[in-house]
Amino acid sequence: MRRGPYAAWRWMHHTDEPSEESDRTLKADWYALLGQLAAMLRDFDAADRWIQRARDVAPSHPWIDVCGSAALECEDLYEESLNAARRTLELQPWYC
């Protein structure tokens, strides 16, 4: 497997995560992406942990809710997914 969520998951776990000195937004993006990938692989507990870790690092960063929304969609929680997407737009209108 050279592409897809499993390959990305493996790559991210074999690559050093951003250091403690890294920008908070970069670290939050890293954790949120791990959460989204975990959800795509149907590991929803891990997805929740990674998304929460991203929120702990950068609570007002709208990208976390985008990834969280995608994770909820993978879990077939469509109403919750839509609410997360709406929170993103409340944090930053027109965020894409």
Side-chain angles (χ1 to χ4, degrees):
M1 255 187 213
R2 293 177 20 176
R3 298 183 182 161
Y6 181 67
W9 177 263
R10 285 181 43 116
W11 179 83
M12 290 185 80
H13 277 83
H14 287 98
T15 302
D16 293 333
E17 70 179 61
S19 69
E20 289 299 318
E21 295 80 32
S22 296
D23 178 65
R24 296 175 66 82
T25 302
L26 174 66
K27 289 176 72 166
D29 288 345
W30 183 270
Y31 299 146
L33 179 56
L34 280 167
Q36 188 174 352
L37 289 170
M40 293 170 77
L41 296 169
R42 316 259 331 143
D43 186 348
F44 302 120
D45 291 333
D48 290 342
R49 286 191 304 272
W50 283 113
I51 296 293
Q52 186 55 53
R53 190 168 177 189
R55 283 191 180 106
D56 291 344
V57 171
S60 62
H61 183 38
W63 182 247
I64 298 166
D65 281 327
V66 171
C67 292
S69 175
L72 290 166
E73 184 180 1
C74 289
E75 199 170 349
D76 300 327
L77 298 172
Y78 301 112
E79 189 67 32
E80 292 88 341
S81 175
L82 183 59
N83 289 336
R86 286 182 176 140
R87 276 193 308 276
T88 301
L89 294 175
E90 289 171 8
L91 288 171
Q92 188 170 339
W94 302 102
Y95 186 79
C96 296

